[in-house]
Amino acid sequence: MSHSQRQDIQSQTKKIVYNVYTYFKKLSKDSSHPEVAKFFIRAQQKTSEACGISLKTIQRITSEGAKAPENSENGPCFSSPRKTYKRMKYATDIDDYDKDVLRRTVHEFYDQGEFPTSAKVLSKYQEKTGYKGSKTSMRRILKSLKFSYKKCTDGRRFLMEHNDIIDMRVQFLKKMINFRQNNDARQIVYLDKLKIPTNKENQLIIYHAGSSTYGFVKDSRLVFSCKPDSSEDYLIQMNSAVIKDWFIKILQNLKEPSIIVMDNTWYNWVHIHLKNYPKSNESKIKIQKWLRVKGVEFSSLETSQELFERVKQVISKEKKNELNEIALSMGCELVQIPPNHYQYNPMKTCIWTQVKHKFVVQNTTVNVEDIKKSVYEALDSVTIDEWKSYVTLCHRLQHDDYVKEGLRGKILKSIITTTDDNCSNESKD
């Protein structure tokens, strides 16, 4: 029996086939019955015909049986074919620049009074960037950027950002514009990090600070190496204590009170932990007593779980960020960039691009120390005039986006009937 495709056979079936072959082989050597022996001289061929399996498969099984470890009772041990699953690889790994392009693509639909869906966004995004991912991949990216489906007045569903992200963006833009409109004399200092691959096993990470007034802040560079794909290695070297020490060093090197603009992620790393608050397993009486001291009203009929929810609300209000407290104590003000809004930081959008280009042109070695030297030279090559130009572009973008937010808010107000951030991220589009 011939087969055009290789057959996958389980170990138990292989064992039976091998036993048939062994029996035919034994008959082929039986000298007392020469006619029978002659008939089974081609044992593999006869096994193929008897079992209905291709000769190639029989040869493969007999070869495996000859090499397989012997089991004293049952003979050779065979293996079953390993099941393979073709898992879909989602194209969700896009950089910060492309994330900004994607978010603005969704916003363009809002601005034109259209209803964006993942299919529409995917089509537009592909036109702009040549993105090769599927609609499922696009949905995953949009979800990571805090977009979900919301209901319209006519029953249709369309993509919209979560309210907390919109609020954070509007508050950030409003604060930055107010600084400039009120002619605030304080310099605006931006903080960010740069990653430079040194080899396949390591990368150089540089934290820095700079402004349009002085360029990079003197002695504010923090440098360390870690494995590219190891978050554990990164967190061992870059933790809340290191961030805090580096932040204090920057403030000490500033010549005057300043406005510090930093990533939301770093900000959330360093908090002053509240003490002496009741835990979830505390008695109801202790939780009630703590709430009375804090001046929180509650009903005597509320359960311990309901009371603890009130405790969490108090904690969230009283929770303080240590970096913010440090900045205030040194005459500075801390401003957070919303998550995934790197376009508002000139270091991310312009400075690092120039530094990387300069580094690629200058660097001719794989030696880590020489690479550091090349990176430092590239950093030093950024002039104050370039800093001013990049910061001006960034501030113009902040202003334009703030104007769009106001117009967008009016458009969306008339078409949204629900603002539930927990709406399903799936939709038939």
Side-chain angles (χ1 to χ4, degrees), residues 129-358:
T129 64
Y131 175 72
K132 302 295 183 183
S134 65
K135 190 166 70 173
T136 303
S137 296
M138 177 54 60
R139 283 178 177 172
R140 286 178 174 237
I141 298 172
L142 289 167
K143 186 176 181 180
S144 71
L145 294 177
K146 304 300 181 183
F147 284 93
S148 60
Y149 277 95
K150 303 297 174 75
K151 198 172 186 179
C152 311
T153 51
D154 60 2
R156 287 186 295 171
R157 297 166 73 81
F158 75 109
L159 284 167
M160 184 173 172
E161 273 184 298
H162 289 189
N163 290 335
D164 57 339
I165 299 297
I166 297 173
D167 290 342
M168 289 181 72
R169 182 170 62 245
V170 170
Q171 292 302 317
F172 169 80
L173 293 172
K174 185 177 181 179
K175 187 173 286 189
M176 297 299 290
I177 288 168
N178 284 341
F179 288 145
R180 295 190 286 275
Q181 288 181 343
N182 296 333
N183 296 318
D184 198 310
R186 294 174 295 176
Q187 65 168 328
I188 299 177
V189 180
Y190 289 91
L191 277 58
D192 200 38
K193 68 179 177 183
L194 171 66
K195 294 181 180 180
I196 298 288
T198 55
N199 52 50
K200 292 182 179 180
E201 299 180 354
N202 254 310
Q203 64 178 348
L204 200 65
I205 297 183
I206 302 171
Y207 284 73
H208 221 321
S211 72
S212 60
T213 307
Y214 304 110
F216 284 113
V217 178
K218 185 180 178 181
D219 298 327
S220 68
R221 193 167 58 205
L222 173 64
V223 184
F224 63 90
S225 298
C226 77
K227 296 177 182 177
D229 300 321
S230 175
S231 57
E232 183 180 351
D233 188 26
Y234 174 75
L235 292 173
I236 288 173
Q237 300 185 69
M238 196 61 186
N239 50 46
S240 59
V242 176
I243 282 280
K244 179 182 172 182
D245 292 342
W246 173 65
F247 186 71
I248 292 172
K249 186 178 179 181
I250 290 172
L251 298 185
Q252 291 172 340
N253 290 330
L254 295 175
K255 299 177 181 179
E256 56 189 348
S258 306
I259 298 164
I260 312 297
V261 181
M262 74 185 308
D263 191 328
N264 172 269
T265 307
W266 304 355
Y267 181 88
N268 288 330
W269 271 6
V270 188
H271 278 103
I272 298 174
H273 296 286
L274 298 180
K275 297 180 180 180
N276 302 322
Y277 65 87
K279 305 297 186 293
S280 58
N281 59 351
E282 294 274 14
S283 67
K284 185 176 179 178
I285 295 174
K286 287 186 177 180
I287 298 176
Q288 289 174 331
K289 184 178 179 181
W290 188 87
L291 289 172
R292 287 193 190 97
V293 171
K294 293 293 181 179
V296 179
E297 294 182 0
F298 58 87
S299 168
S300 59
L301 300 176
E302 289 184 49
T303 64
S304 296
Q305 188 174 1
E306 290 172 326
L307 292 170
F308 190 70
E309 287 299 317
R310 294 186 180 277
V311 172
K312 288 196 289 187
Q313 291 174 6
V314 174
I315 292 172
S316 64
K317 290 178 181 178
E318 295 187 355
K319 194 174 184 180
K320 295 182 179 179
N321 183 276
E322 194 167 2
L323 297 184
N324 194 49
E325 296 298 308
I326 293 170
L328 291 172
S329 68
M330 299 179 74
C332 295
E333 184 175 348
L334 194 58
V335 180
Q336 300 177 65
I337 296 178
N340 296 313
H341 284 69
Y342 308 106
Q343 70 273 20
Y344 298 139
N345 188 334
M347 294 180 75
K348 180 73 76 176
T349 55
C350 303
I351 301 292
W352 292 154
T353 302
Q354 179 175 325
V355 169
K356 285 180 179 179
H357 176 73
K358 189 85 172 178

